[in-house]
């Protein structure tokens, strides 16, 4: 596949999610790991509800895949028609959010048509089921004068079912899963990150590229400002098929 990631090796993370694996792409070593092993168990324990009793799709056993390269690498994650690389799509379907650290988009595809920053903790989808390009690509360009610096705000991602259960915990009545929730306000999120949600930190050192992918049909995401007065710079966004 174009990115060169070894799907067969990465599939081992399904069987042994607590053991990182090492690989090599175009002469560059990488380490891959699962962010939240046995995600469903985490959610059921935290919320005291069985996921199979909810009328909400929950396709994940483990949640979040982090791939960190030893030295900088360029990866063509999509083609000229904005179609996501098939191998990355398989990983996205299996693990939910996928993050590639020390990786950059090649050449002209780094140019961002859109840069976003939103209200803190406003969990939402970028695209709906009526839109075919329902995958979101976020990236931090290490050659950009602003984005070369680590960001002071991050992005949080959780499964639709987790957002629903959190909304019930915060006092909402039973309802159909929504496309927008304002959640976790006035809460200490530190113990929840890596338990019920994944954080896309954008905090790699200066000049390090970061790429993240999410599926808007199965997850919600939100900006997160640990310091409410500092939103950080807008992150680059593109929608993929």
């Amino acid at each position: 596949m174009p990115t060169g990631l070894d799907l067969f090796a990465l599939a081992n993370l399904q069987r042994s999610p607590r053991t990182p694996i090492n690989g090599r792409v175009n002469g560059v070593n990488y380490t891959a790991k699962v962010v939240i092993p046995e995600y469903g168990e985490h959610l059921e324990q935290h919320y005291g509800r069985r996921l199979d009793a909810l009328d909400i799709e929950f396709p994940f056993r483990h949640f979040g895949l982090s791939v960190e390269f030893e030295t900088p690498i360029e990866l063509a994650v999509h083609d000229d028609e904005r179609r996501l690389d098939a191998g990355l799509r398989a990983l996205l379907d299996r693990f939910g959010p996928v993050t590639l650290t020390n990786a950059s988009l090649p050449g002209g595809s780094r140019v961002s048509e859109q840069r976003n920053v939103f209200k803190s903790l406003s969990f939402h989808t970028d695209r709906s089921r009526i839109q075919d390009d329902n995958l979101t690509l976020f990236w931090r360009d290490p050659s950009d004068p602003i984005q070369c610096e680590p960001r002071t705000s991050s992005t949080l991602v959780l499964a639709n079912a987790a957002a629903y259960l959190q909304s019930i915990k915060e006092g909402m009545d039973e309802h159909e899963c929504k496309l927008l929730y304002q959640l976790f306000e006035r809460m200490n999120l530190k113990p929840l990150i890596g338990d019920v949600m994944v954080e896309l930190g954008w905090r790699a050192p200066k000049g390090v590229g970061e790429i993240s992918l999410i599926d808007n049909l199965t997850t919600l995401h939100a900006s997160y400002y640990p310091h409410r007065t500092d939103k950080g710079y807008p992150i680059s966004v593109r929608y993929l098929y």
Side-chain angles (χ1 to χ4, degrees):
M1 65 188 202
T3 60
L5 292 170
D6 186 343
L7 279 184
F8 293 104
L10 290 169
N12 289 330
L13 289 170
Q14 281 286 88
R15 297 184 288 273
S16 302
R18 292 176 176 83
T19 304
I21 66 164
N22 298 313
R24 194 170 176 84
V25 172
N26 298 334
V28 178
N29 295 328
Y30 68 82
T31 299
K33 64 180 181 180
V34 170
V35 182
I36 309 179
E38 305 298 345
Y39 184 44
E41 293 180 10
H42 281 256
L43 296 183
E44 291 185 342
Q45 182 174 358
H46 184 80
Y47 293 108
R49 296 277 298 269
R50 288 188 57 84
L51 294 175
D52 59 10
L54 302 177
D55 189 22
I56 300 173
E57 180 185 8
F58 185 77
F60 310 113
R61 178 179 175 186
H62 314 301
F63 196 62
L65 179 66
S66 172
V67 181
E68 184 165 356
F69 293 91
E70 194 173 273
T71 55
I73 189 171
E74 289 189 353
L75 293 175
V77 304
H78 64 80
D79 64 15
D80 292 341
E81 281 74 45
R82 291 187 288 123
R83 290 178 300 213
L84 179 63
D85 169 80
L88 282 174
R89 180 60 200 250
L91 296 175
L92 196 64
D93 290 342
R94 181 172 291 175
F95 294 104
V98 174
T99 296
L100 309 169
T101 302
N102 215 3
S104 302
L105 300 178
S109 63
R110 286 191 193 183
V111 178
S112 178
E113 307 87 1
Q114 181 177 344
R115 296 192 179 198
N116 290 347
V117 63
F118 296 103
K119 179 181 177 183
S120 187
L121 300 177
S122 179
F123 287 85
H124 64 282
T125 63
D126 289 332
R127 319 298 280 171
S128 71
R129 292 185 181 277
I130 64 172
Q131 295 163 299
D132 293 331
D133 56 343
N134 45 44
L135 308 176
T136 296
L137 163 67
F138 295 120
W139 76 95
R140 173 183 162 211
D141 182 356
S143 65
D144 182 279
I146 295 175
Q147 291 190 348
C148 69
E149 297 287 346
R151 198 171 182 234
T152 55
S153 57
S154 63
T155 305
L156 302 177
V157 186
L158 41 62
N160 292 345
Y164 173 84
L165 290 171
Q166 180 64 29
S167 71
I168 298 298
K169 187 174 182 177
E170 293 188 18
M172 290 189 68
D173 293 332
E174 301 282 342
H175 58 275
E176 290 188 3
C177 192
K178 298 178 180 291
L179 301 181
L180 173 64
Y181 293 96
Q182 191 71 32
L183 299 172
F184 303 106
E185 294 187 293
R186 295 179 294 278
M187 290 182 63
N188 177 16
L189 292 189
K190 201 170 211 180
L192 301 180
I193 293 171
D195 183 28
V196 302
M197 67 183 78
V198 165
E199 183 178 37
L200 314 179
W202 313 116
R203 289 189 291 264
K206 181 176 180 177
V208 173
E210 298 178 88
I211 298 170
S212 289
L213 294 152
I214 61 171
D215 185 341
N216 289 284
L217 300 187
T218 56
T219 65
L220 298 168
H221 63 281
S223 296
Y224 173 47
Y225 319 137
H227 309 289
R228 292 303 183 98
T229 58
D230 187 2
K231 292 184 177 182
Y233 55 74
I235 207 73
S236 299
V237 180
R238 181 174 297 143
Y239 304 123
L240 305 180
Y241 296 94

